[in-house]
Amino acid sequence: MPGFVLTTAATVACTHQGQAVLTPGQQQVLAGGAPLVTTSDVNAVAPSCALSGSSPPTPCVKLDFSPAASTRILVHGRPVVLQPAGPGTGTCLSAAQAPQGTPVVSAIQQRVVGT
């Protein structure tokens, strides 16, 4: 499915408005001056996720973008993350790896499209 290539300049949050921190594993391949995000990058959710407390539900701590992997564009052998039109693709995960919802992606670059 085609979509815009995700870069570190995008604004990404968990469903509960916790801001994501996109940390690329490379700095060489850029779109709009920002590094591309691959499925193997460490993408954490800042401690601002509104789900808190010691009992479930637990706050989101990371994002899994493997469902949004490009089938054709690789950076250093790793698939880049694509964001199709509409809601974000991927899964917000708790510390116990429990799915917490879909990431909300906004302010994404709209020049580079991949499949």
Side-chain angles (χ1 to χ4, degrees):
M1 159 179 3
F4 294 113
V5 175
L6 187 68
T7 69
T8 57
T11 302
V12 181
C14 73
T15 308
H16 321 104
Q17 301 307 310
Q19 291 300 307
V21 178
L22 304 175
T23 307
Q26 58 82 33
Q27 300 286 322
Q28 295 84 19
V29 183
L30 310 173
L36 302 184
V37 176
T38 69
T39 55
S40 63
D41 291 341
V42 176
N43 300 306
V45 176
S48 59
C49 177
L51 286 178
S52 60
S54 59
S55 63
T58 56
C60 303
V61 295
K62 74 178 202 173
L63 304 174
D64 175 16
F65 282 121
S66 57
S70 171
T71 57
R72 295 185 176 189
I73 304 171
L74 305 176
V75 173
H76 298 295
R78 295 177 230 127
V80 299
V81 176
L82 300 177
Q83 289 302 309
T89 302
T91 307
C92 300
L93 300 170
S94 70
Q97 303 301 303
Q100 302 289 328
T102 304
V104 178
V105 180
S106 58
I108 189 168
Q109 64 81 28
Q110 296 184 357
R111 296 184 97 176
V112 182
V113 177
T115 58

